[in-house]
Amino acid sequence: MYEFVTGPLAWLSFGIFFIGLLYRLVWYIRGLNWQMDRVTYSVNVAYGIRGALRSIFFWLVPFGTHSWRFYPGFTILVFVFHICLLATPIFLMGHNVLLLERFGFSLPTLPEGLADVMTLAVIVAAVFIILRRIALPEVRILTKPYDFLVLAIAVAPFLTGFLAYHQVGSYDFWIVAHVLSGEIMLVAIPFTKLSHFLLFFLSRAQLGMDYGIKRGGMKNKGMAW
Amino acid sequence: MFKKILFATTASPACDNAAKVAFDLEMKWDAELCVFHVLGVPSRGFSSFVTDVRTGENEQIDPDYVDWVTEEMKNTYADLLKDSENSTLEAVIGVPHREILRKARADNVDLIIMGAHTRDEDIGAARYRSVVGSTMQKVAKSARCPVVIISRPCTTCWKLFSNIVVGTDFSKPATSSFLWAARLAKEVNARLHLFHAVDIHASEPGKVKGQAEIEAHIEAARKKIDAKYLSQLKGFDNYEIGIREGTPYVEILKFAREKQADLIVMAHHTREIDPELALLGSTVEQVVLRSSCPVASVNHPDKAIAEKS
Amino acid sequence: MPEGILCNKQVVDTKEKLNALLADKSGKQYYAEMKLLDVDTKALWATLEKTCRSRLRTWLEICAHCGMCADSCYFYLANDKDPKQVPSYKIQSTLGEIIKRKGKVDNDFMRMVMDTAWSKCSCCNRCATYCPFGIDMGVMLGYVRGLCFAQGFVPWELKIGSGMHRIYNAQMDITTEDWVDTCEWMAEEYEEDWPGLEIPVDKENADIIYTVNAREPKHYPEDLAEAAILFHLAGENWTVPSQGWEETSLAMFAGDWGACKIQVESVYAAMDRLKPKRMVVTECGHAYRATVIEGPYWAGLKSGKTPVESFHYVEWVAEALRTGKLKIDPAKRIKEPVTYQDSCNYVRNAGLGDCAREIMSYVAEDFREMRPCREHNFCCGGGGGLNGIGLYRQQRNTALKVKRDQILATGAKMVVAPCHNCWDAIRDLEEVYKIGIRWTFLKPMLLGMVEVPEHFKPQEE
């Protein structure tokens, strides 16, 4: 079972992940239309690039925008959640051992204790995100079961991985569940809201170009995000 | 002299005295009279709402509403309309002074008549008075024809006027008011009183001029009147000259009462129009408010000289 | 009844149709007919398939439902944080739902969409600057307005407004003759006080072509005279076009994209005809947005720019003060606390926030910023056409509360509002809430404080 999920199934899910994202990328860019979107993407390109980069950059910096500063608590949750969610799997020692075994290379790794803390951080942040979703009327009204499902897909690999690593109950069961849930997440990324993994950058770039080219970028120092 | 008369009314009792004069002029001069009412002030930005001039309420206007207001005007002036032969009623939307000026310009009217007062017991009297005040001031300043403002009942028919007082400060507009007053005096065979007041507070507030200085001013004014005006009277000799010193609006009112004036004619040419000071600003406002006879404001030569027929 | 006599899917392009609409007091019959209007679901879906492309679909799809847009919306704040006013909810429950149902929606639903698009959003686009994904719900609700318009679900006043643009190339019934006559009239009325003042019509190769908001010639021609006096004092070589002088676009508020195109093309034609060096538009926010920012796209200009470079009035004023073409009399600068209303349309959505600050530095001694301000300022409450829609008067009045509180917090008694709709909204908020403030456009304020050299003054005899 372990061989199957880490072998063919892993290849398949990585394949779907990459091809899916590629499709998303092509579909998004092909769907842009200068006249309908009212942004001259291919004229005034320098302003467009500047606008796009500014728009992405400021939003990647914690407290880098008015909005992040307006919601400091949530901003901390969001950044902790996303940084840990992305960094932990990539720099986890266990994963890099696998990389080295199979492909002959590895990345720098995180100390095990830190990785543990980061895993817990993802889980705890997710719990708070869920609580916020339920507690705040302005978020509750937007919430659909789908939102919980997406969050569950994203957090499941961390929960199962944590249980497997600490050998709570059956290791064999948890490790397979861990790999499977990871693969589910990979496959889900192109098809669900998790596609913001890529589309965040595209959407931000698009709006940045809008502001950079059309809405003032050619007359001022750039949008004060 | 008056072929087309525009009576700009608020369609309220405040304008009753003015209405009587307007209809009287229409009949006696065989003129066309347009009874004109601006009913709602539109907004600056996009909106179909207007502020009702009388109530200050927001209204959405449609053609029916305008018709209804016109109908109401008909009732208000039913008595006067009975004898009228050549009058029309019109209600429009806009800023009052602007629409009055637009209409006067479009129809090339010879005279605009306006009422000045609103009674205190009327709803929103204070707000309304300031609207009327600034309207009056703006119309008087910009209209090409004379603007007659009537605040008290006027018992004398214009044809029977016997004394017309024209106040001058020797400005360019004042020449126009003199010419028009002279023209009217000739037409109705009235006595023309040329009047100037030496403003004793004019140079420096608080500093009262010496008697010699005042007398020098008076002498200079007399020479100016001779040079500027008398030569233009061309044979008309039913005039006299009055020169006083003091606060101009007080002096002209006193002089008008002494001479039993039927009409005061002045120019109105303050450059700044501050709506908050509209009623207190210049000499003309003071005269308009306090005068017991009608006050005509003439600032442009257009109607001052008889048209060559 | 599928199509009403007044309320239908047709555009208003004849005077007969326009007059029939105007005669309907407050749109009573119009809205009654709207309740019976059929939805052409096939056409709706066809439009969506064609025009709702990757950008909009992505925005709808990736919205994380995080609610960070909530506090960015002044409708949400003014309505005691009603969750139904959260921008994301407003767009998901309208456009999101239409797409989910593949366009199969009924009359009730479309009327709910109309209420949302016009009474719960003024397209100020503030939410776009608070969404981490850069989802612009203002743009989307603008798009929804277009869908509604095509189906006949549009507020009465805006149906009339877009018709005006189609018939008169202006938002009000002003003919070319009316306009040219008004220019002559104003020159005539003011030339006595300002010797040499003129309003040149159709002068070729001028430095500036000046365009206006139709409400100025219609009701407030002084505004035109004031502009003329300031150009005169600044020694500008300027002109107005006899045709193509109207910069505003109620068609944009209405979502009538066809009329938008007709309108801006009339202005661009004037630019091509008279070949001015640049264009300056009066103190109007949406006029600049419509003709300068969005217009080139409606007209299909691939550069995304107007045929000649275009400037908002605040840009011209800032430049005139900077270069000394206009000088402020130091004694006449505003002494009392004064604040400035940033118009969403030319500040957030066109980046002209600096001009406003520059102007205020010349004219005011105690200038106080609203918080937030500039690109993050709140809409006055009357944008997007909301000021003018009788049906939504109450919603508009409620929405004014946010601006009221912002102004009160500055302690200023005077608000400089160089935008017709902001000016109106602030006047109305004073009328509704009576907070004891005054407000002004730039032109009358500047006229009261500029230095007038002797040779510009009338000569006394």
Side-chain angles (χ1 to χ4, degrees):
Chain A
M1 190 67 185
Y2 178 79
E3 278 67 35
F4 176 67
V5 294
T6 56
L9 209 54
W11 281 106
L12 185 67
S13 42
F14 270 103
I16 293 172
F17 170 74
F18 282 114
I19 293 167
L21 281 184
L22 193 66
Y23 173 78
R24 279 280 188 175
L25 177 74
V26 172
W27 176 81
Y28 185 85
I29 292 172
R30 281 175 58 105
L32 295 175
N33 178 296
W34 75 274
Q35 201 169 3
M36 278 187 219
D37 302 345
R38 306 210 286 259
V39 182
T40 52
Y41 299 112
S42 53
V43 189
N44 313 310
V45 178
Y47 287 102
I49 292 172
R50 174 167 156 259
L53 291 178
R54 291 182 88 258
S55 166
I56 294 169
F57 172 77
F58 285 105
W59 285 90
L60 287 180
V61 176
F63 302 102
T65 66
H66 283 71
S67 186
W68 288 138
R69 290 192 287 275
F70 190 85
Y71 298 100
F74 186 54
T75 298
I76 293 170
L77 273 184
V78 167
F79 277 92
V80 166
F81 181 78
H82 282 91
I83 290 169
C84 296
L85 189 115
L86 289 170
T88 316
I90 293 172
F91 301 114
L92 191 80
M93 192 177 288
H95 290 174
N96 279 287
V97 169
L98 269 178
L99 263 185
L100 197 63
E101 273 178 12
R102 300 219 176 161
F103 299 101
F105 77 97
S106 71
L107 300 167
T109 57
L110 293 164
E112 308 234 318
L114 181 61
D116 244 16
V117 171
M118 286 168 72
T119 304
L120 280 173
V122 169
I123 296 164
V124 171
V127 169
F128 276 101
I129 288 170
I130 289 169
L131 288 177
R132 175 179 177 276
R133 225 177 235 303
I134 297 165
L136 299 182
E138 72 268 28
V139 191
R140 202 188 313 138
I141 195 169
L142 300 172
T143 300
K144 299 194 171 105
Y146 177 46
D147 295 309
F148 292 111
L149 178 69
V150 167
L151 197 61
I153 290 172
V155 177
F158 291 83
L159 194 63
T160 50
F162 188 77
L163 292 174
Y165 178 77
H166 291 281
Q167 313 219 346
V168 182
S170 155
Y171 172 80
D172 288 343
F173 172 77
W174 288 121
I175 196 68
V176 171
H178 172 67
V179 177
L180 261 178
S181 62
E183 286 164 355
I184 288 171
M185 181 167 85
L186 283 175
V187 172
I189 284 174
F191 299 107
T192 63
K193 280 187 196 298
L194 294 175
S195 56
H196 75 261
F197 175 80
L198 170 72
L199 292 171
F200 164 85
F201 295 94
L202 299 181
S203 177
R204 278 241 66 86
Q206 194 280 330
L207 194 74
M209 290 172 91
D210 189 331
Y211 274 95
I213 294 169
K214 182 176 76 165
R215 292 196 238 176
M218 294 167 84
K219 282 195 176 177
N220 68 7
K221 295 192 279 291
M223 177 68 192
W225 290 108
Chain B
M1 185 161 184
F2 306 120
K3 292 196 199 85
K4 283 186 181 172
I5 298 165
L6 181 66
F7 169 38
T9 174
T10 55
S12 68
C15 286
D16 282 358
N17 297 323
K20 287 197 187 82
V21 173
F23 279 94
D24 188 50
L25 275 169
E26 179 226 321
M27 281 189 293
K28 300 280 162 57
W29 254 276
D30 237 352
E32 282 172 42
L33 173 68
C34 179
V35 181
F36 189 76
H37 173 50
V38 184
L39 56 100
V41 183
S43 55
R44 294 300 297 248
F46 159 62
S47 175
S48 60
F49 282 91
V50 302
T51 310
D52 189 296
V53 172
R54 285 179 291 184
T55 60
E57 299 289 318
N58 272 313
E59 293 277 354
Q60 251 182 338
I61 303 294
D62 62 314
D64 283 351
Y65 186 78
V66 178
D67 287 348
W68 176 75
V69 172
T70 320
E71 203 53 40
E72 222 188 20
M73 285 164 68
K74 245 179 223 164
N75 295 335
T76 310
Y77 296 120
D79 280 352
L80 294 165
L81 282 164
K82 249 193 320 215
D83 300 324
S84 160
E85 286 169 352
N86 201 359
S87 57
T88 50
L89 298 176
E90 196 174 332
V92 301
I93 292 159
V95 184
H97 78 273
R98 191 41 65 197
E99 294 312 312
I100 294 166
L101 288 168
R102 193 196 300 273
K103 177 79 179 163
R105 180 175 180 269
D107 291 0
N108 189 20
V109 304
D110 300 303
L111 187 69
I112 298 173
I113 297 177
M114 299 176 75
H117 271 221
T118 302
R119 293 173 306 174
D120 283 339
E121 62 268 28
D122 284 351
I123 310 153
R127 187 194 72 84
Y128 189 47
R129 230 191 343 259
S130 97
V131 174
V132 174
S134 63
T135 300
M136 198 172 75
Q137 190 170 2
K138 286 174 183 162
V139 171
K141 181 184 182 305
S142 299
R144 294 277 150 169
C145 63
V147 179
V148 173
I149 298 143
I150 292 157
S151 49
R152 308 258 155 85
C154 175
T155 46
T156 321
C157 156
W158 277 49
K159 284 266 180 183
L160 304 175
F161 276 180
S162 44
N163 290 294
I164 296 171
V165 168
V166 55
T168 176
D169 58 359
F170 303 115
S171 63
K172 204 166 145 192
T175 308
S176 298
S177 61
F178 158 75
L179 287 170
W180 184 79
R183 187 182 164 203
L184 181 65
K186 269 185 226 172
E187 177 123 0
V188 303
N189 204 12
R191 190 167 182 76
L192 182 66
H193 300 268
L194 277 164
F195 179 79
H196 174 76
V198 174
D199 189 349
I200 54 168
H201 304 293
S203 51
E204 279 172 63
K207 189 188 163 201
V208 180
K209 291 187 173 109
Q211 190 59 31
E213 196 187 345
I214 290 171
E215 272 170 24
H217 274 288
I218 289 177
E219 192 49 43
R222 184 172 297 278
K223 278 196 184 130
K224 260 192 193 165
I225 288 179
D226 285 350
K228 257 183 122 99
Y229 301 140
L230 295 185
S231 61
Q232 301 199 48
L233 285 174
K234 290 179 192 133
F236 180 78
D237 58 2
N238 190 10
Y239 68 88
E240 63 180 83
I241 295 168
I243 299 174
R244 305 276 166 88
E245 76 273 7
T247 307
Y249 81 85
V250 178
E251 294 307 314
I252 193 167
L253 285 166
K254 271 160 57 183
F255 184 79
R257 201 172 56 201
E258 256 171 55
K259 302 292 174 189
Q260 294 182 306
D262 299 302
L263 180 70
I264 298 174
V265 184
M266 296 173 73
H268 176 147
H269 55 96
T270 42
R271 280 184 91 182
E272 287 185 34
I273 297 178
D274 183 341
E276 284 170 32
L277 302 172
L279 277 181
L280 307 165
S282 66
T283 304
V284 177
E285 265 68 63
Q286 295 295 340
V287 174
V288 162
L289 277 181
R290 291 155 208 262
S291 168
S292 56
C293 67
V295 178
S297 161
V298 188
N299 298 287
H300 297 94
D302 307 46
K303 299 287 171 185
I305 304 158
E307 282 154 43
K308 310 251 177 334
S309 50
Chain C
M1 183 174 61
E3 293 276 285
I5 299 162
L6 299 176
C7 183
N8 49 46
K9 297 179 185 64
Q10 314 294 314
V11 295
V12 177
D13 49 8
T14 64
K15 286 187 188 169
E16 290 71 48
K17 287 190 200 169
L18 185 66
N19 289 336
L21 275 167
L22 283 167
D24 180 24
K25 169 94 176 165
S26 305
K28 222 169 144 194
Q29 185 193 337
Y30 177 87
Y31 288 122
E33 286 177 6
M34 188 183 285
K35 288 193 181 144
L36 304 167
L37 188 63
D38 279 342
V39 182
D40 186 345
T41 52
K42 273 200 190 115
L44 180 60
W45 184 239
T47 307
L48 282 166
E49 289 210 296
K50 208 169 124 219
T51 61
C52 189
R53 299 164 68 105
S54 64
R55 179 179 68 148
L56 296 182
R57 284 183 194 259
T58 299
W59 276 346
L60 283 171
E61 194 190 332
I62 62 172
C63 171
H65 298 159
C66 69
M68 281 175 80
C69 51
D71 287 275
S72 74
C73 180
Y74 69 101
F75 281 102
Y76 172 77
L77 299 174
N79 288 286
D80 304 319
K81 305 204 165 196
D82 176 1
K84 292 207 157 134
Q85 292 281 5
V86 175
S88 172
Y89 178 81
K90 287 185 270 198
I91 196 64
Q92 297 284 351
S93 62
T94 54
L95 184 59
E97 200 59 30
I98 296 174
I99 287 178
K100 203 184 279 171
R101 298 193 204 169
K102 296 202 183 302
K104 294 199 181 62
V105 292
D106 59 10
N107 178 294
D108 283 341
F109 186 86
M110 283 307 280
R111 280 187 293 122
M112 179 279 284
V113 174
M114 179 181 94
D115 289 345
T116 308
W118 277 282
S119 79
K120 296 181 174 179
C121 177
S122 57
C123 300
C124 78
N125 306 76
R126 190 168 190 268
C127 47
T129 66
Y130 282 76
C131 172
F133 291 169
I135 299 173
D136 194 331
M137 287 147 276
V139 163
M140 281 199 276
L141 279 157
Y143 174 77
V144 169
R145 288 181 177 199
L147 298 178
C148 286
F149 182 87
Q151 293 289 330
F153 293 89
V154 57
W156 173 69
E157 291 87 345
L158 289 170
K159 184 95 178 185
I160 293 171
S162 76
M164 289 281 186
H165 284 289
R166 286 174 180 272
I167 298 165
Y168 293 99
N169 277 352
Q171 65 158 284
M172 304 186 88
D173 51 346
I174 301 172
T175 61
T176 303
E177 294 74 43
D178 293 342
W179 158 249
V180 173
D181 185 53
T182 304
C183 294
E184 281 167 17
W185 178 25
M186 283 303 111
E188 209 175 89
E189 185 168 313
Y190 284 83
E191 70 188 344
E192 227 162 79
D193 287 344
W194 302 96
L197 182 73
E198 49 173 357
I199 301 182
V201 180
D202 278 345
K203 183 157 107 185
E204 287 184 14
N205 305 311
D207 291 340
I208 290 174
I209 187 172
Y210 180 64
T211 55
V212 303
N213 174 328
R215 297 191 81 86
E216 294 168 4
K218 182 79 177 176
H219 293 306
Y220 294 90
E222 290 94 329
D223 199 289
L224 178 61
E226 287 158 0
I229 294 166
L230 289 167
F231 282 143
H232 176 61
L233 285 173
E236 296 285 10
N237 171 15
W238 69 293
T239 188
V240 293
S242 59
Q243 282 173 312
W245 48 269
E246 161 70 303
E247 190 94 342
T248 69
S249 184
L250 297 185
M252 174 171 79
F253 291 161
D256 180 355
W257 311 128
C260 286
K261 181 170 152 69
I262 294 170
Q263 182 56 47
V264 296
E265 281 178 344
S266 76
V267 181
Y268 300 161
M271 294 179 183
D272 291 336
R273 185 160 50 87
L274 300 174
K275 300 177 189 63
K277 288 204 181 64
R278 53 184 184 155
M279 193 261 278
V280 172
V281 54
T282 187
E283 297 170 63
C284 182
H286 91 274
Y288 184 81
R289 175 94 179 265
T291 310
V292 182
I293 303 294
E294 313 287 358
Y297 297 91
W298 296 327
L301 303 181
K302 293 206 163 126
S303 63
K305 289 181 185 169
T306 49
V308 299
E309 206 179 351
S310 298
F311 295 84
H312 190 270
Y313 203 74
V314 295
E315 293 180 272
W316 179 79
V317 171
E319 179 202 280
L321 292 171
R322 193 187 316 130
T323 56
K325 281 183 191 169
L326 291 177
K327 285 198 184 70
I328 300 294
D329 180 347
K332 290 183 182 160
R333 297 176 76 203
I334 306 173
K335 309 278 183 303
E336 65 180 337
V338 55
T339 186
Y340 185 96
Q341 162 62 12
D342 286 299
S343 158
C344 310
N345 279 325
Y346 68 81
V347 176
R348 177 160 40 257
N349 293 307
L352 302 183
D354 285 342
C355 297
R357 274 73 213 168
E358 194 177 352
I359 294 168
M360 294 313 284
S361 75
Y362 286 99
V363 301
E365 291 188 355
D366 184 3
F367 171 53
R368 301 185 183 180
E369 290 279 17
M370 291 188 204
R371 298 283 170 217
C373 61
R374 301 179 68 112
E375 286 87 350
H376 294 272
N377 192 26
F378 285 110
C379 170
C380 58
L386 191 55
N387 263 343
I389 303 173
L391 187 62
Y392 303 134
R393 198 67 169 172
Q394 192 44 54
Q395 287 89 326
R396 199 283 311 252
N397 287 351
T398 305
L400 296 173
K401 285 196 281 189
V402 173
K403 186 54 59 188
R404 174 197 66 189
D405 295 344
Q406 265 194 300
I407 294 172
L408 282 174
T410 64
K413 291 284 168 230
M414 168 69 104
V415 186
V416 178
C419 166
H420 280 67
N421 280 323
C422 295
W423 191 100
D424 251 19
I426 290 166
R427 184 208 54 191
D428 286 357
L429 88 82
E430 174 63 26
E431 211 157 79
V432 177
Y433 298 108
K434 303 202 169 38
I435 58 170
I437 49 164
R438 288 170 295 116
W439 53 95
T440 182
F441 282 114
L442 286 172
K443 292 180 204 111
M445 179 185 82
L446 289 169
L447 270 183
M449 50 174 52
V450 285
E451 284 178 357
V452 180
E454 273 312 309
H455 63 279
F456 282 109
K457 291 178 183 166
Q459 304 297 312
E460 274 297 324
E461 297 175 19

